[in-house]
Amino acid sequence: MNFATKRNECIYPKMNNEYSHKWDQCQQFIADNLSPELYNAWFKPLTFHSFDNGKLVINIPSPYFYEQLEERFLKLIVAALTKVFGRGTQLFYHYNQINNEPTTAVTMETSRQSTAVRPPQGATANPFHQEPLHDVDSQLNPSYNFENYCKSESNKVAVSIGEAIADNPRLKTFNPLFVCGPCGVGKTHLIQAIGVRIKEHNPQARVLYITSRLFQSQYTTAEHQGKINDFITFYQGIDVLIIDDIQDLIGKTKTQNTFFHIFNHLKQNQKQLILSSDCPPALMKGMEERLLSRFKGGTTVMIERPDYELRKDVLNMRASQDGLSIPREVMDFIASNVTESIRELEGIVASLLAHATFLNRDINIDLARNVLANAVKINKRTLNFEDITRHVSDFYNINPDDIFTKSRKREISDARQMVMFLVKKHTKMPLKAIGARLSRTHATVLYACNSIEERIPIDKKLQEDIAAIEKAMKE
């Protein structure tokens, strides 16, 4: 071994220790600017991997961390890197695609350009215009596909139309497709899944996914550089144009006018347009009327907030992808309390994984309650007829459908009376309405409720049954 080799062996560990310490400083800066709950969930699990030639690589537990860090905390991360490592640092994320399998490791560069991290390299009107059209980077995320998109009544129509377009791009019945719905219900995943499948079927297809904010930024740059014609020409050459959050163009009159001409050209040439928004065209104030009329001329589909079954499916899929085993009672607790968006559900699973891994704790109701308390407002559950029927049938181990039959079997009759009693006790449903749901009369429901109330003081087994069912309903 020569002197130079020995010298390098001494220097590099020292350098890595130095950069590892710098990453600790970044962590401290981030911790000072976040709540302890957010820091513990999203940044405490991150560790230093390496630093070389201006490239910082950090370890993250899963690809979902990459998505969340990029979407929610990138500005803060950039500020920390600039302060500690200096301007011009490039950020990379390192993770194993399969838990505890280093051979599946992936290193991914941050998906967004930031002047604080990397100075602009002569930004052009359009980052794609110098490439041949058939080589256009689709900007699609391959993990956003139909295979891992959970379906239910809340999104069934939108998914069916999306698959129809993806499987037969020549079908122009749904052109443009306008997907709307609240934040976090899966719009971005769905519209990208369409593009991903089209590219799978036809790799030469010129498919482009872009957010309206990036479209606006490209337009502004093109205008400043006098390259509006190049900008329009590029977009008129796209086969499938997918624009996310189109509502962000509201108030941008010049950009809307330019997009109007691009839209018309693509539509007239039988090219597919797919748009998403947090509201339907009819509610978009500040958008050019002629654009709105074209949006309305296509197919508008709404994705509703996720229903209970969809929330459970999302939890199961995300847990499976992260190699996480979540007990059924914990799954039910999360699905019952995190009701607004799919993105929140995925974040909860990531937080559970982080807490369970780094605190060396089992995943149970108490851990889930702590995680949810830091992420969402836990619902004070409003029970309804369906909830109570499901809990009663689970407790008595019978098919919920049997409760609605005319069967007089003792176990079914007892369960039916219990449903009547608990619905009366925990909801505001009138006796007549309860009876109508069970095809019984008002008098039958009243008799059942009175019968159980009279037995409660003298029937210990009945007391225990009611207590057990009500406990399950509260979890």
Side-chain angles (χ1 to χ4, degrees), residues 149-174:
Y149 192 88
C150 297
K151 306 168 190 175
S152 77
E153 290 297 321
S154 62
N155 60 23
K156 182 168 65 176
V157 174
V159 174
S160 297
I161 292 175
E163 289 182 321
I165 293 172
D167 292 333
N168 184 10
R170 294 182 180 180
L171 177 67
K172 300 305 175 186
T173 306
F174 310 112

Short mmCIF file of all heavy atoms in Angstrom, two decimals, residues 149-174:
data_model
loop_
_atom_site.label_atom_id
_atom_site.label_comp_id
_atom_site.label_asym_id
_atom_site.label_seq_id
_atom_site.Cartn_x
_atom_site.Cartn_y
_atom_site.Cartn_z
N TYR A 149 -53.95 1.70 -7.70
CA TYR A 149 -54.97 2.72 -7.44
C TYR A 149 -56.20 2.02 -6.87
O TYR A 149 -56.84 1.20 -7.55
CB TYR A 149 -55.33 3.45 -8.73
CG TYR A 149 -56.17 4.70 -8.52
CD1 TYR A 149 -55.56 5.93 -8.30
CD2 TYR A 149 -57.55 4.66 -8.53
CE1 TYR A 149 -56.30 7.08 -8.10
CE2 TYR A 149 -58.31 5.80 -8.33
CZ TYR A 149 -57.68 7.01 -8.12
OH TYR A 149 -58.42 8.14 -7.92
N CYS A 150 -56.52 2.30 -5.64
CA CYS A 150 -57.65 1.64 -4.99
C CYS A 150 -58.97 2.22 -5.49
O CYS A 150 -59.10 3.44 -5.63
CB CYS A 150 -57.56 1.80 -3.46
SG CYS A 150 -56.10 1.02 -2.75
N LYS A 151 -59.93 1.35 -5.72
CA LYS A 151 -61.21 1.76 -6.31
C LYS A 151 -62.35 1.51 -5.34
O LYS A 151 -62.32 0.57 -4.55
CB LYS A 151 -61.47 0.99 -7.61
CG LYS A 151 -60.34 1.09 -8.61
CD LYS A 151 -60.50 0.09 -9.74
CE LYS A 151 -59.25 0.03 -10.61
NZ LYS A 151 -59.34 -1.02 -11.64
N SER A 152 -63.36 2.37 -5.43
CA SER A 152 -64.58 2.19 -4.64
C SER A 152 -65.69 2.99 -5.29
O SER A 152 -65.51 3.57 -6.37
CB SER A 152 -64.36 2.67 -3.20
OG SER A 152 -64.41 4.09 -3.14
N GLU A 153 -66.82 3.06 -4.63
CA GLU A 153 -67.95 3.81 -5.16
C GLU A 153 -67.61 5.29 -5.32
O GLU A 153 -68.14 5.97 -6.18
CB GLU A 153 -69.17 3.67 -4.24
CG GLU A 153 -69.80 2.28 -4.25
CD GLU A 153 -70.34 1.90 -5.62
OE1 GLU A 153 -70.92 2.78 -6.29
OE2 GLU A 153 -70.18 0.73 -6.01
N SER A 154 -66.69 5.79 -4.50
CA SER A 154 -66.38 7.22 -4.53
C SER A 154 -65.57 7.64 -5.76
O SER A 154 -65.52 8.82 -6.09
CB SER A 154 -65.62 7.62 -3.26
OG SER A 154 -64.38 6.94 -3.17
N ASN A 155 -64.94 6.68 -6.44
CA ASN A 155 -64.14 7.05 -7.61
C ASN A 155 -64.37 6.14 -8.80
O ASN A 155 -63.64 6.21 -9.80
CB ASN A 155 -62.65 7.08 -7.25
CG ASN A 155 -62.14 5.72 -6.77
OD1 ASN A 155 -62.72 4.68 -7.06
ND2 ASN A 155 -61.05 5.73 -6.03
N LYS A 156 -65.39 5.27 -8.72
CA LYS A 156 -65.59 4.21 -9.72
C LYS A 156 -65.76 4.78 -11.13
O LYS A 156 -65.16 4.29 -12.08
CB LYS A 156 -66.80 3.37 -9.34
CG LYS A 156 -67.07 2.21 -10.30
CD LYS A 156 -68.09 1.24 -9.74
CE LYS A 156 -69.45 1.89 -9.58
NZ LYS A 156 -70.47 0.91 -9.13
N VAL A 157 -66.59 5.81 -11.28
CA VAL A 157 -66.85 6.37 -12.61
C VAL A 157 -65.57 6.97 -13.19
O VAL A 157 -65.23 6.74 -14.36
CB VAL A 157 -67.97 7.43 -12.54
CG1 VAL A 157 -68.12 8.12 -13.88
CG2 VAL A 157 -69.28 6.80 -12.12
N ALA A 158 -64.85 7.74 -12.37
CA ALA A 158 -63.62 8.39 -12.84
C ALA A 158 -62.59 7.35 -13.28
O ALA A 158 -61.94 7.51 -14.33
CB ALA A 158 -63.05 9.28 -11.75
N VAL A 159 -62.44 6.29 -12.51
CA VAL A 159 -61.46 5.25 -12.85
C VAL A 159 -61.86 4.53 -14.14
O VAL A 159 -61.03 4.25 -15.01
CB VAL A 159 -61.31 4.24 -11.69
CG1 VAL A 159 -60.40 3.09 -12.10
CG2 VAL A 159 -60.75 4.93 -10.46
N SER A 160 -63.13 4.22 -14.27
CA SER A 160 -63.61 3.51 -15.47
C SER A 160 -63.34 4.33 -16.73
O SER A 160 -62.88 3.80 -17.75
CB SER A 160 -65.11 3.21 -15.35
OG SER A 160 -65.36 2.35 -14.26
N ILE A 161 -63.63 5.63 -16.67
CA ILE A 161 -63.38 6.50 -17.82
C ILE A 161 -61.88 6.61 -18.08
O ILE A 161 -61.42 6.57 -19.24
CB ILE A 161 -64.01 7.88 -17.60
CG1 ILE A 161 -65.54 7.76 -17.61
CG2 ILE A 161 -63.55 8.87 -18.67
CD1 ILE A 161 -66.26 9.05 -17.27
N GLY A 162 -61.10 6.75 -17.00
CA GLY A 162 -59.65 6.84 -17.15
C GLY A 162 -59.08 5.61 -17.82
O GLY A 162 -58.22 5.71 -18.71
N GLU A 163 -59.53 4.43 -17.42
CA GLU A 163 -59.04 3.19 -18.04
C GLU A 163 -59.47 3.08 -19.49
O GLU A 163 -58.72 2.58 -20.34
CB GLU A 163 -59.54 1.99 -17.23
CG GLU A 163 -58.87 1.86 -15.88
CD GLU A 163 -59.34 0.64 -15.10
OE1 GLU A 163 -60.55 0.34 -15.14
OE2 GLU A 163 -58.50 -0.01 -14.45
N ALA A 164 -60.68 3.56 -19.80
CA ALA A 164 -61.15 3.53 -21.18
C ALA A 164 -60.26 4.38 -22.08
O ALA A 164 -59.90 3.97 -23.20
CB ALA A 164 -62.60 4.02 -21.25
N ILE A 165 -59.88 5.56 -21.61
CA ILE A 165 -58.99 6.44 -22.38
C ILE A 165 -57.62 5.79 -22.53
O ILE A 165 -57.02 5.79 -23.61
CB ILE A 165 -58.86 7.81 -21.69
CG1 ILE A 165 -60.19 8.56 -21.73
CG2 ILE A 165 -57.77 8.65 -22.35
CD1 ILE A 165 -60.20 9.82 -20.90
N ALA A 166 -57.10 5.26 -21.42
CA ALA A 166 -55.74 4.69 -21.43
C ALA A 166 -55.64 3.47 -22.33
O ALA A 166 -54.62 3.27 -22.99
CB ALA A 166 -55.33 4.31 -19.99
N ASP A 167 -56.69 2.65 -22.37
CA ASP A 167 -56.66 1.43 -23.17
C ASP A 167 -56.95 1.68 -24.64
O ASP A 167 -56.63 0.85 -25.49
CB ASP A 167 -57.66 0.41 -22.61
CG ASP A 167 -57.23 -0.11 -21.24
OD1 ASP A 167 -56.01 -0.12 -20.98
OD2 ASP A 167 -58.10 -0.51 -20.44
N ASN A 168 -57.58 2.82 -24.93
CA ASN A 168 -57.90 3.14 -26.32
C ASN A 168 -57.77 4.65 -26.55
O ASN A 168 -58.77 5.37 -26.57
CB ASN A 168 -59.31 2.67 -26.68
CG ASN A 168 -59.63 2.90 -28.15
OD1 ASN A 168 -58.76 3.24 -28.95
ND2 ASN A 168 -60.88 2.72 -28.51
N PRO A 169 -56.54 5.16 -26.69
CA PRO A 169 -56.34 6.61 -26.83
C PRO A 169 -57.06 7.22 -28.03
O PRO A 169 -57.27 8.42 -28.08
CB PRO A 169 -54.81 6.73 -26.98
CG PRO A 169 -54.26 5.49 -26.38
CD PRO A 169 -55.27 4.43 -26.67
N ARG A 170 -57.42 6.38 -29.02
CA ARG A 170 -58.13 6.91 -30.18
C ARG A 170 -59.59 7.21 -29.87
O ARG A 170 -60.27 7.88 -30.64
CB ARG A 170 -58.05 5.92 -31.34
CG ARG A 170 -56.61 5.72 -31.87
CD ARG A 170 -56.59 4.77 -33.05
NE ARG A 170 -55.22 4.59 -33.56
CZ ARG A 170 -54.91 3.81 -34.59
NH1 ARG A 170 -55.88 3.15 -35.23
NH2 ARG A 170 -53.66 3.70 -34.99
N LEU A 171 -60.06 6.71 -28.74
CA LEU A 171 -61.43 6.98 -28.32
C LEU A 171 -61.51 8.42 -27.81
O LEU A 171 -60.94 8.75 -26.78
CB LEU A 171 -61.84 6.01 -27.21
CG LEU A 171 -63.23 6.19 -26.59
CD1 LEU A 171 -64.31 5.86 -27.61
CD2 LEU A 171 -63.37 5.29 -25.36
N LYS A 172 -62.21 9.27 -28.51
CA LYS A 172 -62.26 10.70 -28.16
C LYS A 172 -63.59 11.09 -27.54
O LYS A 172 -63.94 12.26 -27.48
CB LYS A 172 -61.98 11.55 -29.41
CG LYS A 172 -60.61 11.28 -30.03
CD LYS A 172 -59.48 11.44 -29.01
CE LYS A 172 -58.13 11.06 -29.59
NZ LYS A 172 -57.05 11.08 -28.58
N THR A 173 -64.35 10.09 -27.08
CA THR A 173 -65.63 10.38 -26.43
C THR A 173 -65.43 11.24 -25.20
O THR A 173 -66.27 12.08 -24.87
CB THR A 173 -66.31 9.06 -26.03
OG1 THR A 173 -66.40 8.22 -27.17
CG2 THR A 173 -67.70 9.31 -25.47
N PHE A 174 -64.30 11.03 -24.50
CA PHE A 174 -64.06 11.73 -23.24
C PHE A 174 -62.93 12.75 -23.40
O PHE A 174 -61.94 12.73 -22.68
CB PHE A 174 -63.71 10.73 -22.14
CG PHE A 174 -64.66 9.57 -22.04
CD1 PHE A 174 -64.25 8.28 -22.38
CD2 PHE A 174 -65.96 9.76 -21.62
CE1 PHE A 174 -65.12 7.21 -22.28
CE2 PHE A 174 -66.84 8.70 -21.53
CZ PHE A 174 -66.43 7.42 -21.86
#
